[in-house]
Amino acid sequence: MTDKAEPRYVYGVVRADTAAPAVDGIAAAPLELIADGDVAALTSIAPDQYLEVGREELLTHSRVLEAALDKGTVLPMRFGVVLSDEETLRSDLLDAHHDELAVQLTEMDGKVEMTLKGVYDEEAVLREIVAEHPGIAQLRGELEGKPEAATYYERIRLGELVAAAFVERQELDSEAAVEDLRLHAVAVAVGEPIHERMAVNASFLVERAKLDEFDRALDAIGERKAKLIRFRVTGPLPPHSFVELGVAA
Amino acid sequence: MATAMQQQPYRGGSGYVARSSSSGLYDVLELILDKGLVIDVFVRVSLIGIEILTIDARIVIASVDTYLRFAEAVNRLDLMATETQGLPELMEGITEGGASSKTKGMLQGAKEALFGDDEEEEAEDEGDEGSTRRRTSSSTTTKRRRRREATGSGSKRGRSKSKS
């Protein structure tokens, strides 16, 4: 029986006729569905209204969602959504957004998120930049052998040119990878690089039936750029990057 | 922070792309903290520390410090050598702590983004040229600027935002 007064941690939204995954939630609390018609919140009782979080809780959230994905369609909540009790959950999440949630569940049927990150081999990309920009090569040559103290501003200038070329390069490489993969995806969400050496950071919404061809396209890109970019893909994942709640009516 | 789990390729693959079907925290951290459904008013979980380290993990390319590092890296290149790492070395290096290219984990990159900001502000105060920001770190409450597009090869996304 659900305890109605307890605060509820919400992992995501699923169809009401699915079973809760057989994994534990945060703080080892069991998972429970709270349903409103055909739409249900996947929840567990939160131990406290203020929950201190660490790596464990983040991992649990992620694993609950992946277990839910195994059982059917799931719209993931962002990490850390706790509603004060069951009634609030029903009124402010399920009732307020019922139709939107139902529509998105249908939209996400049979689709998963695949995330792609690519990281440059620093030396390789710098070589290409020097090869492609005679001005950079020349300035580099002028600085060769000169003491650091005497060339502070020249080095800043060189670095500035390289940085600009690098950003340009990254945008081209990101677009090229995305263009290739977009053909096999329903939707794409392109992010900005998270760190300096990141070449690509993008998420794709892919139909399960098309995962094989998506895969082959990935391999082709990986092979083509093998000396320059190291790719890493994660998935299938619940569609974190492709769900959204509007303001409640 | 543990590195992401390396799984066997779960579908036949050529080996050029690292795949994990089961996610380590690194792979999904950005997703679960920054994406997904949210009801703003009701977030009650304290995210002290976690939020600062991760949601703010933007890079700042344009700073004097970064320029100097780029210059140093370019100056270090041995332009006579034509081969960089071969594939086997690349595959070995596919973890966050990998090999010579020192891929930073996201948290470490975030730390540098934070401290990098401090240095950049100092540089701007001193009036150094070239310290224009091309990419800025944003606050935790700013939504990530992602371009989201439908590809047209599948179903179009239409969504009603209000209860009918």
Side-chain angles (χ1 to χ4, degrees):
Chain A
M1 300 299 292
T2 63
D3 190 333
K4 293 188 177 275
E6 296 285 344
R8 291 277 167 175
Y9 186 96
V10 186
Y11 303 87
V13 171
V14 296
R15 288 213 165 72
D17 58 7
T18 51
V23 298
D24 275 347
I26 284 174
L31 297 177
E32 300 171 48
L33 293 193
I34 293 176
D36 171 20
D38 52 345
V39 164
L42 179 57
T43 79
S44 62
I45 290 176
D48 203 276
Q49 231 185 358
Y50 295 94
L51 179 68
E52 273 215 25
V53 299
R55 203 170 150 270
E56 254 332 290
E57 288 71 29
L58 293 165
L59 273 171
T60 302
H61 179 98
S62 168
R63 287 183 180 153
V64 165
L65 284 173
E66 286 184 29
L69 186 65
D70 272 347
K71 292 197 167 281
T73 308
V74 55
L75 311 175
M77 292 304 280
R78 187 173 299 187
F79 177 83
V81 177
V82 177
L83 300 175
S84 33
D85 53 36
E86 182 179 322
E87 192 187 312
T88 308
L89 188 154
R90 286 181 183 284
S91 69
D92 293 351
L93 173 60
L94 298 177
D95 288 347
H97 298 280
H98 177 274
D99 289 0
E100 206 178 338
L101 293 170
V103 165
Q104 286 188 73
L105 279 168
T106 305
E107 281 184 351
M108 294 299 149
D109 276 340
K111 301 183 184 88
V112 295
E113 177 163 344
M114 304 291 290
T115 68
L116 177 69
K117 288 178 165 63
V119 176
Y120 283 117
D121 178 305
E122 178 175 278
E123 211 183 289
V125 69
L126 289 177
R127 270 177 206 292
E128 290 216 11
I129 284 173
V130 171
E132 288 167 7
H133 294 82
I136 288 176
Q138 184 181 0
L139 184 48
R140 181 192 176 279
E142 287 170 16
L143 288 176
E144 206 162 352
K146 295 205 177 124
E148 273 195 5
T151 54
Y152 181 72
Y153 290 105
E154 286 88 341
R155 282 183 294 121
I156 291 178
R157 178 67 187 145
L158 174 61
E160 199 179 4
L161 290 174
V162 172
F166 180 84
V167 167
E168 206 179 275
R169 174 94 220 193
Q170 184 275 322
E171 283 170 1
L172 284 172
D173 284 332
S174 176
E175 259 194 60
V178 167
E179 282 313 303
D180 278 357
L181 292 168
R182 167 204 297 279
L183 299 170
H184 312 283
V186 169
V188 180
V190 179
E192 291 186 24
I194 324 177
H195 64 71
E196 232 165 59
R197 241 172 275 103
M198 188 164 273
V200 188
N201 180 22
S203 280
F204 299 86
L205 186 66
V206 183
E207 287 168 15
R208 281 192 187 272
K210 300 223 168 152
L211 279 176
D212 277 342
E213 67 179 67
F214 183 83
D215 238 4
R216 285 195 292 274
L218 265 175
D219 278 339
I221 295 171
E223 186 167 351
R224 198 162 64 238
K225 301 279 190 178
K227 293 206 166 93
L228 186 67
I229 298 174
R230 205 161 67 192
F231 288 103
R232 177 193 191 79
V233 64
T234 305
L237 292 168
H240 300 266
S241 305
F242 301 97
V243 294
E244 194 168 30
L245 275 184
V247 176
Chain B
M1 183 176 93
T3 55
M5 288 184 283
Q6 286 297 322
Q7 301 285 325
Q8 293 300 319
Y10 59 98
R11 291 184 292 281
S14 65
Y16 287 100
V17 177
R19 288 173 165 85
S20 23
S21 52
S22 165
S23 318
L25 196 50
Y26 173 74
D27 296 321
V28 295
L29 198 54
E30 185 195 349
L31 290 183
I32 65 180
L33 286 178
D34 217 13
K35 301 280 155 195
L37 302 174
V38 65
I39 313 176
D40 291 321
V41 177
F42 293 97
V43 175
R44 299 199 190 287
V45 174
S46 164
L47 290 177
I48 292 169
I50 302 287
E51 202 163 21
I52 293 172
L53 283 177
T54 54
I55 297 183
D56 268 344
R58 310 281 198 267
I59 57 164
V60 179
I61 287 257
S63 73
V64 169
D65 178 61
T66 308
Y67 295 158
L68 289 172
R69 278 192 283 128
F70 268 127
E72 191 206 354
V74 164
N75 285 330
R76 260 191 286 120
L77 287 178
D78 175 7
L79 292 184
M80 299 311 284
T82 49
E83 285 298 304
T84 54
Q85 280 182 319
L87 183 61
E89 288 88 344
L90 276 180
M91 292 305 293
E92 262 173 49
I94 296 180
T95 62
E96 287 134 70
S100 65
S101 55
K102 290 187 296 156
T103 307
K104 285 175 265 194
M106 196 197 305
L107 295 186
Q108 192 180 343
K111 223 167 92 178
E112 287 177 20
L114 286 177
F115 293 122
D117 279 351
D118 293 336
E119 288 165 16
E120 181 173 356
E121 270 156 33
E122 282 173 28
E124 278 174 348
D125 287 342
E126 291 164 37
D128 279 342
E129 64 180 29
S131 56
T132 48
R133 285 174 181 264
R134 270 207 58 175
R135 293 179 191 178
T136 59
S137 42
S138 56
S139 71
T140 56
T141 54
T142 306
K143 253 184 118 140
R144 166 73 65 89
R145 294 182 301 276
R146 277 201 171 199
R147 293 183 282 118
R148 205 188 298 177
E149 305 145 39
T151 60
S153 65
S155 54
K156 274 252 180 220
R157 307 201 64 222
R159 190 184 320 134
S160 61
K161 292 218 161 143
S162 55
K163 248 173 102 167
S164 54

